[in-house]
């Protein structure tokens, strides 16, 4: 397999070993489901021409299962998967570069920005020049911003506040994966701002055992992202937030304590709503 140049989800991993797992129980069943799901979404989009926007924490998501498709391309060389990743880049390019005046988007699609950056990172060698250039332009000029609440929003953490954390952490992921290549000289500053956002959220949004004041539905979404960002930092040789933020280190125990006995979801606390076990933390 080609040299691993990832600065995202695959950074530092043995890709040959990862590929072997896709054909070995118990991982094979998970892998088969993962690849089936992105193909179903891609087929539905091709058939209907629709773009579904379902986000959370006031952020939009329009690029469904793009990371799963990217992983299949990286491990198996599936060109359909690569093409699906390219189409998701095109969606964001329409919003930010080519037709911003026609875009009716009411929320900042920062979840899709992060997902596309992580997917494109897994497809670095396969992206065509136009899509790669579009991605770098968007990272440089748009994806490392947090316009909904801005970076200077420390007061918003007084009750946790999911939007402040999720938007800024997504910008940090984009900066970590593509900031340097995009030509932004301040990309490390963006990463450090996201790290500080993680500290603030965990300090003011959680009790010392790691349970969130905003309840299951609102706490676990930003915490899943915080956990993912911390893992990406660790894989890239950056600060180990699992050691420097005690509440983050305790988060897996929180998840285990809130799981229903049959593991279909998490017990709703404080705000209602059940979060299904779909995240990297699980």
């Amino acid at each position: 397999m080609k040299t691993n140049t990832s600065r995202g989800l695959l950074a530092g991993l043995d890709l040959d070993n990862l590929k072997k797992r896709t054909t070995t129980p118990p991982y094979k069943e998970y892998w088969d489901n993962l690849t089936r799901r992105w193909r179903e979404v891609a087929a539905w989009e091709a058939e209907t021409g629709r773009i579904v926007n379902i986000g959370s924490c006031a952020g939009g998501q329009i690029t469904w299962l793009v990371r799963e498709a990217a992983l299949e391309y990286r491990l198996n060389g599936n060109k359909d998967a690569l093409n699906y990743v390219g189409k998701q880049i095109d969606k964001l390019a329409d919003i930010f570069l080519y037709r911003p005046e026609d875009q009716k988007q009411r929320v900042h699609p920062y979840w899709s920005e992060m997902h596309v950056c992580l997917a494109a990172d897994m497809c670095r060698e396969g992206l065509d020049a136009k899509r790669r250039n579009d991605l770098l332009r968007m990272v440089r000029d748009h994806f490392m911003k947090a316009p909904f609440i801005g970076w200077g929003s420390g007061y918003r953490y007084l009750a946790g506040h999911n939007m402040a954390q999720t938007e800024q952490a997504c910008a940090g992921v984009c900066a970590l994966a593509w900031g340097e290549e995009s030509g932004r000289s301040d990309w490390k500053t963006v990463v450090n701002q996201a790290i500080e956002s993680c500290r603030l959220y965990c300090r003011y949004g959680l009790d010392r055992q790691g349970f969130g004041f905003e309840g299951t539905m609102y706490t676990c979404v930003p915490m899943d992202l915080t956990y993912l960002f911390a893992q990406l930092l660790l894989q890239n040789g950056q600060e180990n937030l699992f050691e420097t933020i005690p509440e983050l280190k305790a988060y897996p125990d929180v998840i285990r304590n809130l799981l229903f006995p049959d593991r279909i979801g998490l017990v709703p606390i404080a705000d209602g709503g059940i979060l299904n076990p779909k995240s990297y933390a699980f």
Side-chain angles (χ1 to χ4, degrees):
M1 188 165 287
K2 296 179 181 178
T3 302
N4 185 0
T5 59
S6 174
R7 299 184 67 168
L9 293 169
L10 301 182
L13 298 185
D14 182 336
L15 299 186
D16 289 321
N17 183 55
L18 185 61
K19 184 173 181 178
K20 288 178 184 177
R21 288 188 177 191
T22 65
T23 61
T24 305
Y27 309 105
K28 184 180 184 302
E29 182 179 358
Y30 180 79
W31 174 255
D32 290 344
N33 183 61
L34 180 152
T35 53
R36 175 182 60 81
R37 288 295 294 126
W38 83 255
R39 290 193 186 97
E40 289 175 349
V41 171
W44 180 86
E45 284 196 354
E47 179 182 349
T48 65
R50 292 180 59 193
I51 297 176
V52 176
N53 183 1
I54 305 174
S56 56
C57 303
Q61 159 64 307
I62 59 174
T63 53
W64 297 98
L65 281 84
V66 64
R67 293 170 296 179
E68 288 79 354
L71 183 59
E72 179 165 8
Y73 168 74
R74 186 65 182 86
L75 295 183
N76 295 336
N78 185 322
K79 291 299 178 68
D80 290 336
L82 176 63
N83 186 49
Y84 182 70
V85 173
K87 288 180 178 179
Q88 307 317 300
I89 295 174
D90 294 343
K91 284 181 187 176
L92 294 179
D94 278 345
I95 294 172
F96 290 107
L97 302 179
Y98 298 115
R99 295 190 299 171
E101 69 282 355
D102 297 333
Q103 181 52 235
K104 305 300 181 183
Q105 193 109 351
R106 293 187 176 184
V107 294
H108 177 200
Y110 60 79
W111 294 106
S112 280
E113 294 171 10
M114 177 191 69
H115 292 171
V116 163
C117 279
L118 291 175
D121 173 75
M122 289 186 272
C123 301
R124 285 177 180 271
E125 297 83 1
L127 290 177
D128 63 71
K130 180 182 182 302
R131 283 169 168 163
R132 184 185 181 88
N133 289 337
D134 283 349
L135 176 70
L136 292 175
R137 285 176 60 195
M138 290 188 289
V139 171
R140 182 179 64 249
D141 298 335
H142 300 283
F143 291 2
M144 287 191 281
K145 297 178 181 178
F148 185 74
I149 45 80
W151 291 113
S153 58
Y155 70 93
R156 293 180 179 270
Y157 294 92
L158 294 177
H161 210 293
N162 54 80
M163 289 179 286
Q165 166 60 3
T166 52
E167 191 173 41
Q168 295 183 68
C170 280
V173 172
C174 294
L176 186 65
W178 289 97
E180 186 173 18
E181 275 185 72
S182 76
R184 279 281 293 266
S185 60
D186 63 341
W187 70 271
K188 289 184 179 180
T189 299
V190 178
V191 172
N192 289 334
Q193 287 172 323
I195 291 173
E196 182 62 16
S197 178
C198 292
R199 288 199 180 95
L200 288 169
Y201 187 83
C202 290
R203 183 182 305 156
Y204 297 113
L206 312 175
D207 68 17
R208 299 295 69 87
Q209 291 182 318
F211 290 86
F213 299 134
E214 290 191 283
T216 308
M217 185 168 64
Y218 287 108
T219 296
C220 289
V221 174
M223 282 305 295
D224 289 349
L225 172 59
T226 301
Y227 199 92
L228 170 60
F229 181 51
Q231 183 64 36
L232 294 174
L233 290 170
L234 187 63
Q235 289 177 218
N236 279 278
Q238 307 283 330
E239 181 177 343
N240 185 351
L241 300 188
F242 299 109
E243 295 298 329
T244 58
I245 302 178
E247 297 83 2
L248 182 60
K249 192 174 183 179
Y251 182 60
D253 287 329
V254 171
I255 295 294
R256 283 190 285 269
N257 280 310
L258 291 175
L259 271 173
F260 285 120
D262 59 3
R263 305 180 69 84
I264 63 167
L266 300 181
V267 176
I269 57 174
D271 58 357
I274 297 175
L275 185 76
N276 291 321
K278 58 181 173 53
S279 67
Y280 284 100
F282 277 95

